[in-house]
Amino acid sequence: RSIDQQWRRTSYTGLTQGMHDAPSGADEPATGDELVADPALSTPAPMGSLPAGAEFGTLVHEALEVLDWSADGRRSRIADVVRTHAIAFAESERAILADGLEAVVTTPLLPLTQQSLSDVPTQLRLAELDFDLPMGGTHAATVGQLAQLIQAHLPADDPLVEYPSLLAASETSHKVLSGMLTGSIDAVLRTEAGKFLVVDYKTNRLAPSPDDVLTLGHYTQAAMAHAMMAAHYPLQAICYCAALHRYLSLRLPGYDPQQHLGGVGYLFVRGMAGPTTPVIDGHTCGVFSWYPSPDLVVAVSDLLGGHHA
């Protein structure tokens, strides 16, 4: 038998390996005009003083995965989660983390929905949705072809319209999408409108330097879009959308992508300050929203499966 040398098990991290540490300018602050327009944007970020790095990111993900964020008794449950997971933290840091988690789950997710995480019943949340998607064999596409497909579907005013060109020019564009694509979606939420949202938690610090005080103004939609593209998060997001599409097509009776796909929310948790979080042009600080069209999501799923022109 001949062996398919291109078949492999990979993930978003595998596809973008070596691309995350490159200088990107992703930590650019909000513009001065934005800060003057809304003084609330100069408010220090609730978890801005907590450490950066992968270890803290894992801690926040684990806490939000297990947290029952319904209102009754939430503060007590948050304290228990922090006590269990933040073992290495000092007591003062645990208090900051507890307040920060309370802020995260009570921040409105505009414009994706008027609800906050705490408004979504936990039975309408799928936490850590693991997936393994078979990708095209003999008809496998490349990451570069995926970039072309995304570019063909994004309107000129899309906040990530520059990303396909960035992906096409990257060192990963030649990689073949063959084998299995694996990953885990932090959360899938069903909103009161019956739409399903892909949610991912990010703990990135978006201040210009570690010495700058982190503020809510560092988490405007424009600043987060810049950080998204610099870190290649849109590639992760569209793969997650394709995974959700396949999952719903198998599990949800009467599934219709046009009706049920509700978009993507990347929650930069350090920029979420609860119900009073500033809203700029309809977008809550800390909540990056993206609406890849259902047609794009279906086309990406087909491309990953080896069905393309």
Side-chain angles (χ1 to χ4, degrees), residues 69 109 117 120 124-125 187-191 195-197 199:
W69 54 44
L109 305 180
L117 292 176
V120 179
L124 298 183
R125 170 186 71 178
V188 174
L189 306 181
R190 184 168 187 169
T191 69
K195 292 185 177 294
F196 292 83
L197 305 179
V199 170

Side-chain angles (χ1 to χ4, degrees), residues 153-162 221 225 283 288-291:
H153 281 79
L154 292 189
D157 60 351
D158 191 281
L160 301 178
V161 69
E162 298 176 6
Q221 185 81 347
H283 296 267
F288 180 80
S289 57
W290 187 40
Y291 297 93

Side-chain angles (χ1 to χ4, degrees), residues 23-219:
S24 64
D27 290 344
E28 292 182 4
T31 68
D33 290 342
E34 287 172 323
L35 296 176
V36 172
D38 189 342
L41 291 176
S42 61
T43 302
M47 291 190 283
S49 62
L50 294 180
E55 186 174 347
F56 178 69
T58 299
L59 167 61
V60 170
H61 279 74
E62 290 176 346
L64 289 171
E65 177 186 355
V66 301
L67 178 63
D68 175 359
W69 54 44
S70 55
D72 291 342
R74 182 172 59 233
R75 289 294 304 193
S76 176
R77 291 193 298 275
I78 289 177
D80 290 340
V81 167
V82 169
R83 192 178 305 111
T84 300
H85 291 273
I87 300 174
F89 274 25
E91 195 61 37
S92 59
E93 292 177 314
R94 291 183 187 179
I96 294 172
L97 177 59
D99 289 342
L101 291 174
E102 172 72 16
V104 168
V105 301
T106 57
T107 298
L109 305 180
L110 295 170
L112 291 165
T113 174
Q114 293 186 350
Q115 296 175 287
S116 65
L117 292 176
S118 62
D119 294 325
V120 179
T122 51
Q123 61 266 31
L124 298 183
R125 170 186 71 178
L126 281 174
E128 295 298 327
L129 178 61
D130 298 328
F131 63 84
D132 286 283
L133 299 186
M135 296 189 293
T138 56
H139 301 288
T142 64
V143 173
Q145 289 174 302
L146 175 59
Q148 293 174 0
L149 177 64
I150 298 172
Q151 187 170 42
H153 281 79
L154 292 189
D157 60 351
D158 191 281
L160 301 178
V161 69
E162 298 176 6
Y163 180 68
S165 297
L166 178 67
L167 180 61
S170 71
E171 59 191 62
T172 198
S173 64
H174 69 281
K175 291 185 178 179
V176 178
L177 299 168
S178 178
M180 298 291 291
L181 180 68
T182 185
S184 182
I185 305 173
D186 288 347
V188 174
L189 306 181
R190 184 168 187 169
T191 69
E192 56 189 357
K195 292 185 177 294
F196 292 83
L197 305 179
V198 169
V199 170
D200 196 84
Y201 309 122
K202 297 298 182 189
T203 56
N204 306 46
R205 293 180 56 89
L206 301 188
S209 76
D211 296 328
D212 284 284
V213 175
L214 195 65
T215 69
L216 303 185
H218 292 127
Y219 293 92

Side-chain angles (χ1 to χ4, degrees), residues 195-280:
K195 292 185 177 294
F196 292 83
L197 305 179
V198 169
V199 170
D200 196 84
Y201 309 122
K202 297 298 182 189
T203 56
N204 306 46
R205 293 180 56 89
L206 301 188
S209 76
D211 296 328
D212 284 284
V213 175
L214 195 65
T215 69
L216 303 185
H218 292 127
Y219 293 92
T220 62
Q221 185 81 347
M224 291 184 293
H226 189 91
M228 289 280 295
M229 291 186 283
H232 289 275
Y233 292 153
L235 176 60
Q236 180 186 47
I238 200 63
C239 289
Y240 283 2
C241 286
L244 176 61
H245 161 66
R246 292 197 194 178
Y247 178 84
L248 293 177
S249 67
L250 294 172
R251 299 296 186 93
L252 184 65
Y255 167 64
D256 179 356
Q258 300 290 338
Q259 176 184 347
H260 292 110
L261 295 180
V264 175
Y266 268 53
L267 308 186
F268 288 77
V269 297
R270 294 184 195 261
M272 301 171 71
T276 61
T277 304
V279 178
I280 308 298

